[in-house]
Amino acid sequence: MAAHILDGKALSTEIRARLAERVAALREKGIVPRIEAIVAAQDPASLAYVKMKRTWAEKAGMESGSFEVHGDTHQDQIMEQIWKLNRDPSVHGVLIQHPLPSHIDEDACLNALDPDKDVDGITSASLGRLTAGLKGFRCATPMGIMTLLDHYGIDCQGKHAVVIGRSVILGKPAALMLLEKNATVTIAHSRTRNLPDLVAMADIVVAAVGKPEFVQGSWIKHGSVVVDAGYNKVEGRNHDVGDCQYEECAAVASWITPVPGGVGPMTVASLLENTVRAAESALSS
Ligand code: NAP
């Protein structure tokens, strides 16, 4: 049996088309959704991600901008910029792209951000809202994963989900969102013992490890759902490689996300969706 594809590329295209309609409706009422990024100027990967996110935002009819953090940018200057964006009613979403240069206190930046503009859902306030089951912006990558599962009719209720990875931006919020959907969740990490045995018990596996092709097909239970959030640059490979051994896992799973074209595009769609929602709530407030 070959697994069905959880096609994040196709679904994100549909979502962005629907968002473009919502943006057009907002524009008619005089509101242009706007997202601003704060990004390290000397990090080519971060600049490329932000450029891609801004391009998709603009293609959906939104406006975007960015503030580049250089080696000599002082913490106070970034804090000033965040406070300015917090106060500016024309700005609906702010993305603080990780990593900022090492001399910057990134946690202080995140915690200065108004949670109602935290469209990436990664501030302590947003994560606290998720933990408490309160309304708020959900973290973009796990939100994309949940949207993908929902779109393909994968019911999490009562299923055993094993999330491999416990980062604040991915593993932990993914586990909480699966729990919200009534899955029974196990979180694995670098000190977990007998990981293959644990994964073998999972109905849903979310790999968020950051190690290319780490999860082997022999670990996967027949018919389980494999969500691969990883993207890793590997020398000699002409595209990003996920955290799962794709061919092996696809041979036993019932559903699987490809890399690229699975979770990655869903992250961008979620970020844009949150920005449009922020603009819509500005209209109703
Ligand atoms: P991270 O902060 O480095 O976290 C990696 C997690 O994996 C940690 O919790 C770590 O455990 C765990 N881990 C490491 N080695 C392990 C092992 N041998 N067994 C079990 N667990 C192990 O990474 P991240 O930011 O969550 O990202 C994870 C992956 O997702 C990366 O490939 C990244 O590029 C990708 N990503 C994708 C998107 C997207 O939009 N698609 C967004 C963000 C990240 P400890 O906590 O014990 O160290």
Side-chain angles (χ1 to χ4, degrees):
M1 183 187 78
H4 300 287
I5 303 296
L6 294 164
D7 190 341
K9 191 173 172 201
L11 180 57
S12 68
T13 305
E14 272 177 44
I15 292 173
R16 285 187 276 105
R18 287 200 297 270
L19 288 175
E21 289 169 15
R22 283 161 67 184
V23 171
L26 281 163
R27 277 177 167 268
E28 274 177 24
K29 292 171 184 147
I31 292 199
V32 184
R34 180 172 186 85
I35 183 165
E36 289 283 338
I38 294 177
V39 57
Q42 269 120 24
D43 183 337
S46 292
L47 288 175
Y49 293 141
V50 166
K51 187 172 172 219
M52 189 244 305
K53 289 165 183 174
R54 289 186 57 186
T55 302
W56 286 119
E58 287 168 16
K59 282 191 172 166
M62 304 183 202
E63 286 180 351
S64 76
S66 67
F67 177 87
E68 292 191 0
V69 181
H70 293 265
D72 59 355
T73 306
H74 198 268
Q75 178 84 27
D76 290 348
Q77 290 170 279
I78 308 185
M79 299 304 271
E80 279 299 334
Q81 175 67 10
I82 294 169
W83 291 326
K84 193 173 120 198
L85 296 172
N86 282 347
R87 287 190 304 269
D88 185 344
S90 73
V91 174
H92 303 97
V94 179
L95 164 70
I96 299 178
Q97 181 71 45
H98 171 80
L100 292 179
S102 56
H103 69 284
I104 297 298
D105 180 347
E106 205 170 301
D107 285 339
C109 296
L110 285 169
N111 290 326
L113 180 60
D114 179 348
D116 291 335
K117 296 194 179 188
D118 174 24
V119 287
D120 211 14
I122 57 170
T123 62
S124 307
S126 297
L127 293 165
R129 288 175 180 183
L130 167 64
T131 309
L134 300 173
K135 267 172 68 176
F137 291 121
R138 296 308 190 228
C139 199
T141 303
M143 174 177 160
I145 292 174
M146 298 313 292
T147 308
L148 202 49
L149 293 178
D150 185 56
H151 176 80
Y152 284 97
I154 293 161
D155 184 7
C156 299
Q157 176 145 310
K159 305 268 173 66
H160 181 200
V162 172
V163 180
I164 314 171
R166 55 174 166 181
S167 72
V168 166
I169 59 150
L170 219 174
K172 277 183 196 162
L176 286 166
M177 288 184 215
L178 286 157
L179 187 62
E180 256 185 346
K181 292 287 178 190
N182 299 318
T184 302
V185 184
T186 302
I187 306 177
H189 47 78
S190 65
R191 321 286 161 85
T192 296
R193 293 185 193 157
N194 305 325
L195 182 63
D197 294 344
L198 199 60
V199 172
M201 291 193 291
D203 304 304
I204 300 171
V205 179
V206 176
V209 195
K211 295 194 166 159
E213 300 182 331
F214 174 76
V215 176
Q216 310 295 300
S218 58
W219 303 2
I220 302 293
K221 183 168 78 175
H222 186 84
S224 63
V225 176
V226 175
V227 178
D228 188 346
Y231 56 74
N232 308 284
K233 300 261 175 256
V234 174
E235 225 180 293
R237 304 279 281 270
N238 59 3
H239 61 72
D240 288 343
V241 172
D243 287 347
C244 299
Q245 218 303 327
Y246 182 80
E247 301 298 336
E248 289 179 13
C249 292
V252 276
S254 56
W255 292 90
I256 191 166
T257 54
V259 178
V263 175
M266 292 302 297
T267 299
V268 184
S270 304
L271 184 73
L272 302 187
E273 163 112 45
N274 281 343
T275 307
V276 172
R277 259 191 230 158
E280 287 169 345
S281 19
L283 186 67
S284 55
S285 63

